[in-house]
Amino acid sequence: MQMDQMTGAPASSPRGGQLSRGRLAELVLESTADFAIFTTDLDGLITSWNSAAERVMGWSAVEAVGQHASMIFWPKERAREACGQEIEEARASGLSRDERWHLRKDGARFWGAGSMSRLEDAESGEHLGYCKIVRDRTEQHQAGQRLEATKVLLRNVLESNPDCLKLLDLEGRLTFMNGPGLRLMEIDTPHFVSGCPWVSLWPQDERGKVEGALAKARAGEVGRFQGCCPTAKGKPKWWDVQVTAVPSTGAGSGLLLATSRDITELETTQSDLRRSEERLRTALSISTVGVMFWGPGFGLTEVSDAFLRMTGFSREEAIGKTWQELTPLEFHASSLKAVADVTTRGEAAPYEKQYFRKDGSRWWGLFAPRKVGEEVVEFVLDVTARKEVEQALRESEARFRHMADSVPALIWMTDEVGRVTFANMHHDHMFGRPAAEILGDGWVSIVLPEDLERHTNAFLAAFETRTVFRTETRVRNRDGQVRWLRCEGVPRTDDAGRFLGYTGCNLDITEVRLAAEELEELVAERTAELMAAEETLRQSQKLEALGQLTGGVAHDFNNLLTIIRSSADLLARPGVPEERRKRYAEAISDTADRAAKLTGQLLAFARRQPLKPEVFAVGDRLQALAGLIRPLVGPRITIDVPLHCEGCAVETDPNQFETAVVNLAVNARDAMGGEGRLTIRTWLASEVPPARGHRGARGNFVAISVSDTGAGIRPELLGRIFEPFFTTKEVGKGTGLGLSQVYGFAKQSRGELHVESKVGQGATFTLYLPRAEKKPIAPNATVTERIATPESGNRNVLLVEDNIEVGEFARSLLEELGYTTKWAPNAEAALRILEREADYFDLVFSDVVMPGMSGLELGREIRRQWPALRIILTSGYSQVLASGGSHEFELLHKPYSVEGLSNALRGKRDPGLT
């Protein structure tokens, strides 16, 4: 019969090939490899012992069965009868649970976790004994103890940090805030913020920075920023914040560490340092905080990764080093003071010193130690970059001052409100006063009082707009002499574009001013001499031109008078046949027309010829004029008239315009010797180019150019071609008035005449006329009528003429035409006649140029007093009419024909009537 291994009783035989319930329980108990299971009787004596119990505690079943269950309890537990307590609790409640130290056969202890339960007979319910189950949890127990120690140490470290330290979950909710942080944030109870989103504590405009730092920390990076977050009581504070993920050996701790350093005092009391550090912070990231743990002998027992990066040591190399090994000798004194403060007071004020790196180089750190238990924890921030910037700033300021003091000029600087904050040593040299006395508003005393307001206003005007400041000011030097300074300053800004003030330089320009004044006097004297010489030359040229003009006029008029005199003498002979009498009369009439044309050209040159302006299309007029020009230039000259400005109109005298174009065409024909190409072109021009010493003009112009392929004009003659009677043609081949007429017409029409020519390449004359905005009018057809008698009711004419011969002749003509005429020798006499019998006259026919009141003034007075009375003026020359005065009245040009006078009196359109 087999014995049960657990109980020693005979094993039950299987029924029908099946295991008994006892055998099944036995197999189950043996399969629990991690659970030591044994049973006892009611007195606590062991009755069964599984194989797991042998593996866990070391006793075999033979050794254990019959022994009291207290044998497995640690002596201290046995002494306080822990086994009996478990049995009693199991008897009373059916189950007793425990975790405590237990004993192995070899005397070692293990941490066991398990239970003791009451055993009863399944059928009768009889209390048979107890079942003890124990599981070895030594490793888990020791790990828990280490974790708890770590938590205590971490809490001590967090509480010893003077900064505001917070533990956040991955969603950014607060799970812990250290005591210094609660005090810094003026939070009375941690429940005030526990579980709330950290970002909600920040103002709206700062939350973007917070979210960015959290995102970096979740990604395994270090999130850093600086911002302003008020305390729970609303007090504004500035913080230097760093957010990192809490390291973990598992899949992830699920926590973030946010370190907030209160930098409000630094922001408030060290503004100059902050401005310099702002430039540094834009280029460099905030350094990671290093953490060091010092043992009782001030040897390193643990360091953070940040400290290792700062020093270049490995962890094995750093552990055990003392502060004396890491600190240069000249910083031992400050380190000893910090050690004394930590030893006596538990903490030391933050201080700066240098540390050695592994390679022997040095770096600057800001250290903050605090005692935690038996150790000292010290935080360090790498401030090497700031120290180097400060040193560079000091060196830069020294170099700038040395450079500024060596410059032979007055160098100065102001702050952002305009006060002078720097003046170089040259102020002392020039004014005999220390540069310090120039600072602030001290510079006011060196400026002459009469220049002070102007100088100040110039600076304030530039200061308000942040623009360059420039002025010239008089000052008094150390010897009392007045000196001129050229003052210039430019705005100065930092890297962020914030205005810092002005930097300027003042130069002594006294000698330059004196030299300039002397030069101006010399220039003025020389200019006066040149103007006098030029005026003398101009008068000489005028006399020469006047001589040419009078000589030419006398020559041409003598020729014309010769024809008229000879024809008149021949007509006076008795018995002259009718045919010859008619020929002599026609010769006199033709010669008079030529004389009228000559005077018209003279008036056009002098710009005294009254124009009869009309609005007409230039292209249409040129196309019609081309037919007239072709027979004038001859068959061997090709004429091109390309139009690039169809519909372009001008407002001027169309007859004078046609005369000008014909004159230019005839001039071109003579230049080509009767053979070549003549091009008349039009286009729109936006400006008139400068010519003959005249500046150009911008505007809307219609340009008409006449180009030839002739020999061209020599450069030395270009300045004279518009002079009256100047010509390069042979004697008898030209009068020299053609171009003068074109030039005078252009000027009188508010235009310009421009010439371009190269010898051998022909010449181009361009006439520029203002473009008219009005639409062109259709030209009136010329109707030839015979001389008619006046209409009924229009026979009475008041003739006003101061010249007796002309008056007699005009009265004879009027009476010959059938008009009743009364003659007044001047305007005043005419007004007296009209005052007596104005209703008698149908019209007034008056000369323009008369002594006293002119014909134009007479016409205005008549229109004022007798507006229904018709007025016709006549003149061959009048400056008033040439300037546009004739537009008010009808005008008949002298010399006029009988037909022209008849048409004018009858109100018919005549070429000589305006």
Side-chain angles (χ1 to χ4, degrees), residues 881-912:
L881 295 176
S883 62
S886 64
H887 294 182
E888 303 177 41
F889 307 101
E890 298 176 65
L891 175 66
L892 182 63
H893 294 272
K894 291 181 180 180
Y896 48 79
S897 63
V898 177
E899 180 183 1
L901 177 59
S902 175
N903 289 335
L905 295 176
R906 296 173 61 241
K908 299 295 185 179
R909 183 69 177 170
D910 187 84

mmCIF file of all heavy atoms in Angstrom, residues 881-912:
data_model
loop_
_atom_site.group_PDB
_atom_site.id
_atom_site.type_symbol
_atom_site.label_atom_id
_atom_site.label_comp_id
_atom_site.label_asym_id
_atom_site.label_seq_id
_atom_site.Cartn_x
_atom_site.Cartn_y
_atom_site.Cartn_z
ATOM 1 N N LEU A 881 -2.607 143.182 -79.550
ATOM 2 C CA LEU A 881 -3.338 142.206 -80.359
ATOM 3 C C LEU A 881 -2.574 140.899 -80.471
ATOM 4 O O LEU A 881 -3.160 139.817 -80.481
ATOM 5 C CB LEU A 881 -3.611 142.791 -81.743
ATOM 6 C CG LEU A 881 -4.544 144.009 -81.777
ATOM 7 C CD1 LEU A 881 -4.647 144.528 -83.188
ATOM 8 C CD2 LEU A 881 -5.904 143.652 -81.220
ATOM 9 N N ALA A 882 -1.232 141.020 -80.579
ATOM 10 C CA ALA A 882 -0.424 139.809 -80.720
ATOM 11 C C ALA A 882 -0.523 138.931 -79.490
ATOM 12 O O ALA A 882 -0.404 137.714 -79.567
ATOM 13 C CB ALA A 882 1.044 140.181 -80.973
ATOM 14 N N SER A 883 -0.757 139.547 -78.325
ATOM 15 C CA SER A 883 -0.856 138.772 -77.092
ATOM 16 C C SER A 883 -2.246 138.204 -76.870
ATOM 17 O O SER A 883 -2.521 137.626 -75.844
ATOM 18 C CB SER A 883 -0.462 139.634 -75.884
ATOM 19 O OG SER A 883 -1.358 140.733 -75.771
ATOM 20 N N GLY A 884 -3.159 138.412 -77.822
ATOM 21 C CA GLY A 884 -4.476 137.794 -77.720
ATOM 22 C C GLY A 884 -5.606 138.748 -77.505
ATOM 23 O O GLY A 884 -6.758 138.346 -77.384
ATOM 24 N N GLY A 885 -5.340 140.060 -77.465
ATOM 25 C CA GLY A 885 -6.413 141.013 -77.207
ATOM 26 C C GLY A 885 -7.421 141.108 -78.320
ATOM 27 O O GLY A 885 -8.567 141.499 -78.103
ATOM 28 N N SER A 886 -7.034 140.726 -79.524
ATOM 29 C CA SER A 886 -7.950 140.837 -80.666
ATOM 30 C C SER A 886 -9.062 139.815 -80.613
ATOM 31 O O SER A 886 -10.007 139.895 -81.386
ATOM 32 C CB SER A 886 -7.162 140.678 -81.972
ATOM 33 O OG SER A 886 -6.613 139.383 -82.034
ATOM 34 N N HIS A 887 -8.977 138.817 -79.736
ATOM 35 C CA HIS A 887 -10.021 137.799 -79.680
ATOM 36 C C HIS A 887 -11.356 138.388 -79.271
ATOM 37 O O HIS A 887 -12.409 137.802 -79.501
ATOM 38 C CB HIS A 887 -9.620 136.698 -78.685
ATOM 39 C CG HIS A 887 -8.423 135.920 -79.149
ATOM 40 N ND1 HIS A 887 -7.914 134.865 -78.424
ATOM 41 C CD2 HIS A 887 -7.649 136.054 -80.246
ATOM 42 C CE1 HIS A 887 -6.869 134.373 -79.067
ATOM 43 N NE2 HIS A 887 -6.691 135.090 -80.168
ATOM 44 N N GLU A 888 -11.350 139.612 -78.685
ATOM 45 C CA GLU A 888 -12.598 140.211 -78.250
ATOM 46 C C GLU A 888 -13.376 140.842 -79.416
ATOM 47 O O GLU A 888 -14.587 141.040 -79.335
ATOM 48 C CB GLU A 888 -12.321 141.300 -77.198
ATOM 49 C CG GLU A 888 -11.558 140.787 -75.980
ATOM 50 C CD GLU A 888 -11.242 141.910 -75.009
ATOM 51 O OE1 GLU A 888 -12.121 142.769 -74.800
ATOM 52 O OE2 GLU A 888 -10.113 141.950 -74.480
ATOM 53 N N PHE A 889 -12.668 141.220 -80.505
ATOM 54 C CA PHE A 889 -13.291 141.984 -81.589
ATOM 55 C C PHE A 889 -12.877 141.422 -82.939
ATOM 56 O O PHE A 889 -11.884 140.710 -83.057
ATOM 57 C CB PHE A 889 -12.877 143.462 -81.509
ATOM 58 C CG PHE A 889 -13.119 144.077 -80.160
ATOM 59 C CD1 PHE A 889 -12.080 144.240 -79.255
ATOM 60 C CD2 PHE A 889 -14.395 144.485 -79.789
ATOM 61 C CE1 PHE A 889 -12.303 144.810 -78.011
ATOM 62 C CE2 PHE A 889 -14.622 145.061 -78.547
ATOM 63 C CZ PHE A 889 -13.572 145.217 -77.658
ATOM 64 N N GLU A 890 -13.670 141.782 -83.967
ATOM 65 C CA GLU A 890 -13.267 141.470 -85.332
ATOM 66 C C GLU A 890 -12.040 142.314 -85.685
ATOM 67 O O GLU A 890 -11.944 143.484 -85.297
ATOM 68 C CB GLU A 890 -14.407 141.796 -86.299
ATOM 69 C CG GLU A 890 -15.679 140.981 -86.040
ATOM 70 C CD GLU A 890 -16.806 141.409 -86.954
ATOM 71 O OE1 GLU A 890 -16.675 141.226 -88.189
ATOM 72 O OE2 GLU A 890 -17.796 141.961 -86.435
ATOM 73 N N LEU A 891 -11.112 141.742 -86.432
ATOM 74 C CA LEU A 891 -9.863 142.435 -86.762
ATOM 75 C C LEU A 891 -9.597 142.289 -88.258
ATOM 76 O O LEU A 891 -9.581 141.174 -88.778
ATOM 77 C CB LEU A 891 -8.693 141.867 -85.957
ATOM 78 C CG LEU A 891 -7.317 142.432 -86.289
ATOM 79 C CD1 LEU A 891 -7.245 143.916 -85.909
ATOM 80 C CD2 LEU A 891 -6.216 141.655 -85.580
ATOM 81 N N LEU A 892 -9.320 143.411 -88.945
ATOM 82 C CA LEU A 892 -8.944 143.428 -90.360
ATOM 83 C C LEU A 892 -7.485 143.855 -90.427
ATOM 84 O O LEU A 892 -7.105 144.932 -89.950
ATOM 85 C CB LEU A 892 -9.815 144.421 -91.144
ATOM 86 C CG LEU A 892 -9.540 144.489 -92.650
ATOM 87 C CD1 LEU A 892 -9.852 143.144 -93.325
ATOM 88 C CD2 LEU A 892 -10.382 145.597 -93.285
ATOM 89 N N HIS A 893 -6.651 142.963 -91.015
ATOM 90 C CA HIS A 893 -5.211 143.223 -91.044
ATOM 91 C C HIS A 893 -4.846 144.209 -92.152
ATOM 92 O O HIS A 893 -5.384 144.154 -93.258
ATOM 93 C CB HIS A 893 -4.450 141.899 -91.264
ATOM 94 C CG HIS A 893 -4.592 140.937 -90.120
ATOM 95 N ND1 HIS A 893 -3.760 140.946 -89.051
ATOM 96 C CD2 HIS A 893 -5.497 139.946 -89.904
ATOM 97 C CE1 HIS A 893 -4.132 139.993 -88.211
ATOM 98 N NE2 HIS A 893 -5.191 139.372 -88.713
ATOM 99 N N LYS A 894 -3.916 145.115 -91.809
ATOM 100 C CA LYS A 894 -3.328 146.014 -92.802
ATOM 101 C C LYS A 894 -2.118 145.333 -93.414
ATOM 102 O O LYS A 894 -1.399 144.624 -92.715
ATOM 103 C CB LYS A 894 -2.879 147.321 -92.143
ATOM 104 C CG LYS A 894 -4.017 148.224 -91.656
ATOM 105 C CD LYS A 894 -3.426 149.495 -91.040
ATOM 106 C CE LYS A 894 -4.509 150.431 -90.541
ATOM 107 N NZ LYS A 894 -3.944 151.657 -89.939
ATOM 108 N N PRO A 895 -1.876 145.588 -94.661
ATOM 109 C CA PRO A 895 -2.695 146.333 -95.637
ATOM 110 C C PRO A 895 -3.877 145.489 -96.084
ATOM 111 O O PRO A 895 -3.745 144.289 -96.222
ATOM 112 C CB PRO A 895 -1.726 146.598 -96.774
ATOM 113 C CG PRO A 895 -0.766 145.456 -96.733
ATOM 114 C CD PRO A 895 -0.598 145.095 -95.283
ATOM 115 N N TYR A 896 -5.018 146.108 -96.282
ATOM 116 C CA TYR A 896 -6.200 145.379 -96.700
ATOM 117 C C TYR A 896 -6.621 145.873 -98.086
ATOM 118 O O TYR A 896 -6.324 146.995 -98.497
ATOM 119 C CB TYR A 896 -7.346 145.555 -95.719
ATOM 120 C CG TYR A 896 -7.624 146.992 -95.314
ATOM 121 C CD1 TYR A 896 -8.342 147.854 -96.144
ATOM 122 C CD2 TYR A 896 -7.171 147.474 -94.086
ATOM 123 C CE1 TYR A 896 -8.601 149.169 -95.760
ATOM 124 C CE2 TYR A 896 -7.424 148.781 -93.701
ATOM 125 C CZ TYR A 896 -8.136 149.624 -94.539
ATOM 126 O OH TYR A 896 -8.380 150.918 -94.170
ATOM 127 N N SER A 897 -7.299 145.000 -98.805
ATOM 128 C CA SER A 897 -7.776 145.333 -100.153
ATOM 129 C C SER A 897 -9.191 145.883 -100.061
ATOM 130 O O SER A 897 -9.859 145.791 -99.022
ATOM 131 C CB SER A 897 -7.755 144.085 -101.042
ATOM 132 O OG SER A 897 -8.656 143.115 -100.525
ATOM 133 N N VAL A 898 -9.677 146.420 -101.190
ATOM 134 C CA VAL A 898 -11.040 146.925 -101.234
ATOM 135 C C VAL A 898 -12.024 145.789 -100.978
ATOM 136 O O VAL A 898 -13.003 145.925 -100.241
ATOM 137 C CB VAL A 898 -11.324 147.605 -102.597
ATOM 138 C CG1 VAL A 898 -12.768 148.069 -102.667
ATOM 139 C CG2 VAL A 898 -10.363 148.759 -102.815
ATOM 140 N N GLU A 899 -11.738 144.618 -101.619
ATOM 141 C CA GLU A 899 -12.608 143.456 -101.426
ATOM 142 C C GLU A 899 -12.612 143.011 -99.968
ATOM 143 O O GLU A 899 -13.649 142.682 -99.389
ATOM 144 C CB GLU A 899 -12.148 142.295 -102.323
ATOM 145 C CG GLU A 899 -13.006 141.047 -102.182
ATOM 146 C CD GLU A 899 -12.467 139.902 -103.025
ATOM 147 O OE1 GLU A 899 -11.424 140.100 -103.696
ATOM 148 O OE2 GLU A 899 -13.080 138.836 -103.002
ATOM 149 N N GLY A 900 -11.398 143.013 -99.322
ATOM 150 C CA GLY A 900 -11.321 142.614 -97.922
ATOM 151 C C GLY A 900 -12.089 143.559 -97.032
ATOM 152 O O GLY A 900 -12.788 143.131 -96.097
ATOM 153 N N LEU A 901 -11.999 144.883 -97.305
ATOM 154 C CA LEU A 901 -12.733 145.849 -96.494
ATOM 155 C C LEU A 901 -14.236 145.674 -96.677
ATOM 156 O O LEU A 901 -15.011 145.712 -95.711
ATOM 157 C CB LEU A 901 -12.316 147.271 -96.887
ATOM 158 C CG LEU A 901 -13.054 148.401 -96.174
ATOM 159 C CD1 LEU A 901 -12.856 148.311 -94.662
ATOM 160 C CD2 LEU A 901 -12.573 149.756 -96.714
ATOM 161 N N SER A 902 -14.669 145.437 -97.931
ATOM 162 C CA SER A 902 -16.098 145.265 -98.213
ATOM 163 C C SER A 902 -16.647 144.049 -97.485
ATOM 164 O O SER A 902 -17.706 144.100 -96.852
ATOM 165 C CB SER A 902 -16.327 145.138 -99.723
ATOM 166 O OG SER A 902 -17.693 144.863 -99.984
ATOM 167 N N ASN A 903 -15.916 142.948 -97.557
ATOM 168 C CA ASN A 903 -16.363 141.725 -96.876
ATOM 169 C C ASN A 903 -16.430 141.919 -95.370
ATOM 170 O O ASN A 903 -17.329 141.402 -94.685
ATOM 171 C CB ASN A 903 -15.451 140.558 -97.212
ATOM 172 C CG ASN A 903 -15.613 140.097 -98.648
ATOM 173 O OD1 ASN A 903 -16.677 140.308 -99.266
ATOM 174 N ND2 ASN A 903 -14.578 139.483 -99.202
ATOM 175 N N ALA A 904 -15.415 142.614 -94.830
ATOM 176 C CA ALA A 904 -15.388 142.821 -93.377
ATOM 177 C C ALA A 904 -16.590 143.637 -92.934
ATOM 178 O O ALA A 904 -17.251 143.325 -91.931
ATOM 179 C CB ALA A 904 -14.087 143.521 -92.975
ATOM 180 N N LEU A 905 -16.904 144.698 -93.697
ATOM 181 C CA LEU A 905 -18.012 145.553 -93.298
ATOM 182 C C LEU A 905 -19.343 144.826 -93.423
ATOM 183 O O LEU A 905 -20.291 145.089 -92.688
ATOM 184 C CB LEU A 905 -18.032 146.827 -94.134
ATOM 185 C CG LEU A 905 -16.809 147.757 -93.942
ATOM 186 C CD1 LEU A 905 -16.889 148.943 -94.884
ATOM 187 C CD2 LEU A 905 -16.699 148.227 -92.501
ATOM 188 N N ARG A 906 -19.414 143.917 -94.420
ATOM 189 C CA ARG A 906 -20.659 143.170 -94.632
ATOM 190 C C ARG A 906 -20.752 141.925 -93.749
ATOM 191 O O ARG A 906 -21.727 141.179 -93.820
ATOM 192 C CB ARG A 906 -20.784 142.782 -96.105
ATOM 193 C CG ARG A 906 -20.909 144.007 -97.025
ATOM 194 C CD ARG A 906 -20.866 143.618 -98.489
ATOM 195 N NE ARG A 906 -21.956 142.734 -98.837
ATOM 196 C CZ ARG A 906 -21.801 141.495 -99.297
ATOM 197 N NH1 ARG A 906 -20.595 141.007 -99.473
ATOM 198 N NH2 ARG A 906 -22.848 140.757 -99.581
ATOM 199 N N GLY A 907 -19.666 141.663 -92.914
ATOM 200 C CA GLY A 907 -19.705 140.511 -92.012
ATOM 201 C C GLY A 907 -19.379 139.205 -92.677
ATOM 202 O O GLY A 907 -19.708 138.125 -92.172
ATOM 203 N N LYS A 908 -18.745 139.225 -93.855
ATOM 204 C CA LYS A 908 -18.354 138.018 -94.580
ATOM 205 C C LYS A 908 -16.974 137.565 -94.131
ATOM 206 O O LYS A 908 -16.112 138.369 -93.803
ATOM 207 C CB LYS A 908 -18.354 138.275 -96.089
ATOM 208 C CG LYS A 908 -19.710 138.676 -96.645
ATOM 209 C CD LYS A 908 -20.708 137.549 -96.510
ATOM 210 C CE LYS A 908 -22.037 137.902 -97.169
ATOM 211 N NZ LYS A 908 -23.005 136.786 -97.062
ATOM 212 N N ARG A 909 -16.756 136.226 -94.133
ATOM 213 C CA ARG A 909 -15.456 135.653 -93.742
ATOM 214 C C ARG A 909 -14.426 135.977 -94.798
ATOM 215 O O ARG A 909 -14.644 135.791 -95.983
ATOM 216 C CB ARG A 909 -15.578 134.124 -93.579
ATOM 217 C CG ARG A 909 -14.319 133.441 -93.098
ATOM 218 C CD ARG A 909 -14.026 133.802 -91.652
ATOM 219 N NE ARG A 909 -12.848 133.082 -91.175
ATOM 220 C CZ ARG A 909 -12.256 133.338 -90.020
ATOM 221 N NH1 ARG A 909 -12.730 134.296 -89.247
ATOM 222 N NH2 ARG A 909 -11.223 132.637 -89.639
ATOM 223 N N ASP A 910 -13.287 136.498 -94.382
ATOM 224 C CA ASP A 910 -12.218 136.878 -95.313
ATOM 225 C C ASP A 910 -10.896 136.420 -94.715
ATOM 226 O O ASP A 910 -10.717 136.415 -93.486
ATOM 227 C CB ASP A 910 -12.214 138.396 -95.522
ATOM 228 C CG ASP A 910 -11.231 138.824 -96.607
ATOM 229 O OD1 ASP A 910 -11.598 138.774 -97.782
ATOM 230 O OD2 ASP A 910 -10.087 139.175 -96.223
ATOM 231 N N PRO A 911 -9.936 135.991 -95.554
ATOM 232 C CA PRO A 911 -8.651 135.557 -95.010
ATOM 233 C C PRO A 911 -7.979 136.602 -94.149
ATOM 234 O O PRO A 911 -7.168 136.274 -93.290
ATOM 235 C CB PRO A 911 -7.828 135.236 -96.255
ATOM 236 C CG PRO A 911 -8.839 134.910 -97.284
ATOM 237 C CD PRO A 911 -10.020 135.792 -96.998
ATOM 238 N N GLY A 912 -8.259 137.887 -94.411
ATOM 239 C CA GLY A 912 -7.621 138.926 -93.614
ATOM 240 C C GLY A 912 -8.409 139.322 -92.407
ATOM 241 O O GLY A 912 -8.027 140.235 -91.673
#
